[in-house]
Amino acid sequence: MRILFQGDSITDAGRDKRNYHHLGNGYPKYAAELISAAHPELDIEFINLGISGNRTCQLFDRLYTDAIAFQPDVISILIGINDIWHRHDHKILTTDAQIALNYRCILERLKKETNAKIVILSPYALDAEDKSYLHEDLKTVLPIVRELAAEYADVYIPLDEKFAEAIPTQPSPLYYSRDGVHPNENGSRFIGKLYAEAIEKLL
Protein backbone atom coordinates (compact mmCIF):
# COMPACT_ATOMS: atom_id res chain seq x y z
CA MET A 1 0.00 0.00 0.00
CA ARG A 2 1.25 3.46 -0.91
CA ILE A 3 0.16 6.49 1.14
CA LEU A 4 1.11 9.90 -0.27
CA PHE A 5 0.99 13.12 1.75
CA GLN A 6 0.49 16.27 -0.32
CA GLY A 7 0.25 19.94 0.60
CA ASP A 8 2.22 22.99 1.66
CA SER A 9 4.67 23.76 4.49
CA ILE A 10 2.49 22.08 7.12
CA THR A 11 3.00 18.83 5.20
CA ASP A 12 6.54 19.58 3.98
CA ALA A 13 7.74 20.21 7.55
CA GLY A 14 11.42 20.33 6.63
CA ARG A 15 11.52 17.07 4.68
CA ASP A 16 14.62 16.13 2.69
CA LYS A 17 13.48 16.81 -0.87
CA ARG A 18 16.16 14.51 -2.26
CA ASN A 19 14.27 11.57 -0.75
CA TYR A 20 10.48 11.47 -0.99
CA HIS A 21 10.38 8.77 1.69
CA HIS A 22 11.72 11.30 4.19
CA LEU A 23 8.61 12.49 6.00
CA GLY A 24 9.96 15.63 7.65
CA ASN A 25 9.18 16.65 11.20
CA GLY A 26 5.45 17.27 10.84
CA TYR A 27 2.21 15.33 10.95
CA PRO A 28 3.17 12.85 8.17
CA LYS A 29 5.96 11.53 10.40
CA TYR A 30 3.68 11.02 13.39
CA ALA A 31 0.81 9.65 11.32
CA ALA A 32 3.12 7.11 9.68
CA GLU A 33 4.49 6.02 13.05
CA LEU A 34 1.01 5.43 14.44
CA ILE A 35 -0.27 3.66 11.33
CA SER A 36 2.78 1.40 11.16
CA ALA A 37 2.55 0.53 14.84
CA ALA A 38 -1.16 -0.30 14.53
CA HIS A 39 -0.68 -2.38 11.38
CA PRO A 40 2.66 -4.24 11.45
CA GLU A 41 1.11 -6.79 9.11
CA LEU A 42 0.78 -4.26 6.30
CA ASP A 43 3.53 -3.31 3.88
CA ILE A 44 2.98 0.44 3.65
CA GLU A 45 5.11 2.87 1.68
CA PHE A 46 4.83 6.44 2.96
CA ILE A 47 5.68 9.33 0.63
CA ASN A 48 5.77 13.04 1.46
CA LEU A 49 5.69 15.50 -1.43
CA GLY A 50 4.42 18.62 0.30
CA ILE A 51 6.17 21.84 -0.71
CA SER A 52 6.41 24.85 1.55
CA GLY A 53 4.63 27.96 0.29
CA ASN A 54 2.43 26.16 -2.22
CA ARG A 55 -1.01 27.43 -3.14
CA THR A 56 -3.75 25.44 -4.85
CA CYS A 57 -2.62 26.54 -8.32
CA GLN A 58 0.94 25.34 -7.69
CA LEU A 59 -0.25 21.98 -6.45
CA PHE A 60 -2.33 21.61 -9.60
CA ASP A 61 0.70 22.48 -11.77
CA ARG A 62 2.79 19.68 -10.26
CA LEU A 63 -0.03 17.20 -9.75
CA TYR A 64 1.11 14.69 -12.35
CA THR A 65 4.76 14.43 -11.29
CA ASP A 66 4.08 14.67 -7.55
CA ALA A 67 0.92 12.60 -7.25
CA ILE A 68 -0.57 10.91 -10.30
CA ALA A 69 2.72 9.39 -11.47
CA PHE A 70 3.04 7.57 -8.15
CA GLN A 71 -0.42 5.99 -8.42
CA PRO A 72 -0.93 6.02 -4.65
CA ASP A 73 -3.55 3.91 -2.92
CA VAL A 74 -4.29 6.81 -0.57
CA ILE A 75 -3.52 10.48 -1.14
CA SER A 76 -4.11 13.19 1.43
CA ILE A 77 -4.32 16.90 0.68
CA LEU A 78 -3.86 19.79 3.07
CA ILE A 79 -3.78 22.99 1.02
CA GLY A 80 -5.34 26.44 0.93
CA ILE A 81 -3.98 28.51 3.78
CA ASN A 82 -1.32 30.09 1.51
CA ASP A 83 -3.99 31.14 -0.99
CA ILE A 84 -5.40 33.24 1.85
CA TRP A 85 -2.15 34.26 3.52
CA HIS A 86 -0.55 35.48 0.28
CA ARG A 87 -3.50 37.77 -0.40
CA HIS A 88 -2.31 39.85 2.53
CA ASP A 89 1.43 39.27 2.93
CA HIS A 90 2.45 38.98 -0.73
CA LYS A 91 -0.44 40.82 -2.46
CA ILE A 92 -1.13 37.74 -4.61
CA LEU A 93 -4.89 37.66 -5.04
CA THR A 94 -6.46 34.26 -5.33
CA THR A 95 -10.21 34.69 -5.12
CA ASP A 96 -12.49 32.19 -3.42
CA ALA A 97 -13.80 31.22 -6.86
CA GLN A 98 -10.26 30.52 -8.07
CA ILE A 99 -9.49 28.45 -4.99
CA ALA A 100 -12.64 26.42 -5.59
CA LEU A 101 -11.79 25.88 -9.26
CA ASN A 102 -8.15 24.96 -8.58
CA TYR A 103 -9.13 22.50 -5.87
CA ARG A 104 -11.90 20.94 -7.97
CA CYS A 105 -9.51 20.48 -10.89
CA ILE A 106 -7.04 18.74 -8.59
CA LEU A 107 -9.71 16.37 -7.32
CA GLU A 108 -11.14 15.71 -10.77
CA ARG A 109 -7.74 14.66 -12.09
CA LEU A 110 -7.10 12.42 -9.12
CA LYS A 111 -10.46 10.74 -9.62
CA LYS A 112 -9.92 10.26 -13.35
CA GLU A 113 -6.23 9.38 -13.42
CA THR A 114 -5.77 7.33 -10.25
CA ASN A 115 -7.66 4.81 -8.14
CA ALA A 116 -6.54 6.54 -4.95
CA LYS A 117 -8.73 7.01 -1.94
CA ILE A 118 -8.76 10.73 -1.19
CA VAL A 119 -8.28 12.26 2.25
CA ILE A 120 -8.90 15.99 2.59
CA LEU A 121 -7.71 17.93 5.64
CA SER A 122 -9.18 21.38 6.08
CA PRO A 123 -6.98 24.46 6.27
CA TYR A 124 -7.02 26.23 9.62
CA ALA A 125 -5.69 29.22 11.53
CA LEU A 126 -5.17 29.20 15.28
CA ASP A 127 -5.13 32.07 17.74
CA ALA A 128 -2.18 34.32 17.03
CA GLU A 129 -2.58 38.07 17.27
CA ASP A 130 -1.07 38.85 13.88
CA LYS A 131 -3.13 36.20 12.04
CA SER A 132 -6.65 37.37 12.89
CA TYR A 133 -7.26 38.30 9.25
CA LEU A 134 -6.89 34.65 8.27
CA HIS A 135 -9.94 33.75 10.35
CA GLU A 136 -12.09 36.17 8.39
CA ASP A 137 -11.05 34.75 5.04
CA LEU A 138 -11.45 31.19 6.26
CA LYS A 139 -15.13 31.89 6.92
CA THR A 140 -15.73 31.73 3.17
CA VAL A 141 -12.98 29.28 2.18
CA LEU A 142 -13.80 26.51 4.66
CA PRO A 143 -17.32 25.95 3.28
CA ILE A 144 -15.75 25.50 -0.17
CA VAL A 145 -13.39 22.82 1.15
CA ARG A 146 -16.20 21.07 3.05
CA GLU A 147 -18.40 20.98 -0.05
CA LEU A 148 -15.59 19.59 -2.20
CA ALA A 149 -14.78 17.00 0.45
CA ALA A 150 -18.41 15.89 0.53
CA GLU A 151 -18.29 15.43 -3.22
CA TYR A 152 -14.86 13.88 -3.73
CA ALA A 153 -13.24 12.70 -0.49
CA ASP A 154 -13.33 9.27 1.08
CA VAL A 155 -12.24 10.83 4.37
CA TYR A 156 -12.54 14.43 5.57
CA ILE A 157 -10.62 15.73 8.59
CA PRO A 158 -11.96 19.12 9.77
CA LEU A 159 -8.79 20.41 11.39
CA ASP A 160 -10.36 23.79 12.04
CA GLU A 161 -13.07 22.18 14.17
CA LYS A 162 -10.74 19.71 15.89
CA PHE A 163 -8.31 22.45 16.92
CA ALA A 164 -11.20 24.64 18.13
CA GLU A 165 -12.34 21.81 20.39
CA ALA A 166 -8.85 21.00 21.68
CA ILE A 167 -7.34 24.44 22.31
CA PRO A 168 -9.52 25.28 25.36
CA THR A 169 -8.21 22.15 27.09
CA GLN A 170 -4.59 23.29 26.77
CA PRO A 171 -2.61 25.75 28.92
CA SER A 172 -2.08 28.29 26.12
CA PRO A 173 -3.70 29.26 22.80
CA LEU A 174 -0.23 28.81 21.29
CA TYR A 175 0.14 25.25 22.61
CA TYR A 176 -0.14 23.79 19.11
CA SER A 177 1.48 26.56 17.04
CA ARG A 178 3.46 29.67 17.87
CA ASP A 179 2.45 31.53 14.70
CA GLY A 180 -1.10 30.22 14.35
CA VAL A 181 -0.40 28.29 11.12
CA HIS A 182 2.70 26.11 11.36
CA PRO A 183 2.25 23.41 13.98
CA ASN A 184 4.95 22.75 16.55
CA GLU A 185 5.57 19.21 17.76
CA ASN A 186 2.36 19.28 19.81
CA GLY A 187 0.36 20.38 16.80
CA SER A 188 2.02 17.91 14.46
CA ARG A 189 1.37 15.03 16.83
CA PHE A 190 -2.24 16.18 17.18
CA ILE A 191 -2.80 16.20 13.41
CA GLY A 192 -0.91 12.93 13.01
CA LYS A 193 -3.17 11.20 15.52
CA LEU A 194 -6.31 12.55 13.85
CA TYR A 195 -4.96 11.38 10.50
CA ALA A 196 -4.14 7.87 11.68
CA GLU A 197 -7.55 7.47 13.27
CA ALA A 198 -9.42 8.87 10.29
CA ILE A 199 -7.88 6.68 7.61
CA GLU A 200 -8.23 3.47 9.59
CA LYS A 201 -11.23 2.51 7.48
CA LEU A 202 -9.15 2.80 4.30
CA LEU A 203 -6.44 0.35 5.38
Side-chain angles (χ1 to χ4, degrees), residues 103-113 151-152:
Y103 215 141
R104 181 176 293 278
C105 289
I106 290 167
L107 296 167
E108 281 285 340
R109 287 199 67 187
L110 291 175
K111 283 290 188 182
K112 291 178 180 178
E113 299 179 50
E151 186 174 352
Y152 291 96

Side-chain angles (χ1 to χ4, degrees), residues 112-126:
K112 291 178 180 178
E113 299 179 50
T114 77
N115 293 314
K117 299 294 185 181
I118 297 173
V119 179
I120 293 179
L121 300 89
S122 75
Y124 64 87
L126 307 184

Side-chain angles (χ1 to χ4, degrees), residues 140-151:
T140 56
V141 171
L142 283 170
I144 292 170
V145 177
R146 284 194 293 267
E147 289 173 11
L148 289 170
E151 186 174 352

Side-chain angles (χ1 to χ4, degrees), residues 5-74:
F5 300 94
Q6 192 51 267
D8 52 34
S9 57
I10 301 170
T11 303
D12 181 331
R15 69 182 178 89
D16 182 351
K17 294 180 177 60
R18 298 167 297 181
N19 174 12
Y20 54 70
H21 290 124
H22 188 271
L23 300 179
N25 297 306
Y27 75 88
K29 169 186 173 182
Y30 298 110
E33 288 176 356
L34 291 170
I35 294 167
S36 297
H39 294 281
E41 78 283 2
L42 297 179
D43 181 16
I44 304 178
E45 179 186 12
F46 296 98
I47 296 172
N48 185 353
L49 288 166
I51 294 184
S52 180
N54 263 197
R55 293 174 287 129
T56 52
C57 62
Q58 292 164 313
L59 177 54
F60 178 78
D61 287 345
R62 62 185 180 87
L63 192 65
Y64 181 81
T65 57
D66 288 0
I68 294 168
F70 286 86
Q71 288 296 303
D73 298 289
V74 177

Side-chain angles (χ1 to χ4, degrees), residues 61-97:
D61 287 345
R62 62 185 180 87
L63 192 65
Y64 181 81
T65 57
D66 288 0
I68 294 168
F70 286 86
Q71 288 296 303
D73 298 289
V74 177
I75 182 168
S76 64
I77 302 172
L78 173 49
I79 198 79
I81 196 63
N82 286 321
D83 293 77
I84 296 172
W85 200 344
H86 291 188
R87 291 173 179 175
H88 301 272
D89 287 15
H90 300 289
K91 306 305 179 186
I92 299 173
L93 178 60
T94 307
T95 66
D96 287 0

